[in-house]
Coordinates of all heavy atoms in Angstrom, one line a residue:
P3 N -55.9 42.9 -2.0 CA -55.9 41.6 -2.6 C -56.6 40.6 -1.8 O -56.6 40.6 -0.5 CB -54.4 41.3 -2.8 CG -53.8 42.1 -1.8 CD -54.6 43.4 -1.6
M40 N -34.1 32.3 3.5 CA -34.7 32.3 4.8 C -36.0 31.5 4.7 O -36.4 30.8 5.7 CB -35.0 33.7 5.2 CG -33.7 34.5 5.5 SD -34.1 36.1 6.3 CE -34.9 35.6 7.8
P396 N 14.9 -41.0 4.9 CA 13.8 -40.6 4.0 C 12.5 -41.1 4.5 O 12.4 -42.3 4.8 CB 14.2 -41.1 2.7 CG 15.7 -41.3 2.8 CD 16.0 -41.6 4.2

Side-chain angles (χ1 to χ4, degrees):
M40 292 189 63

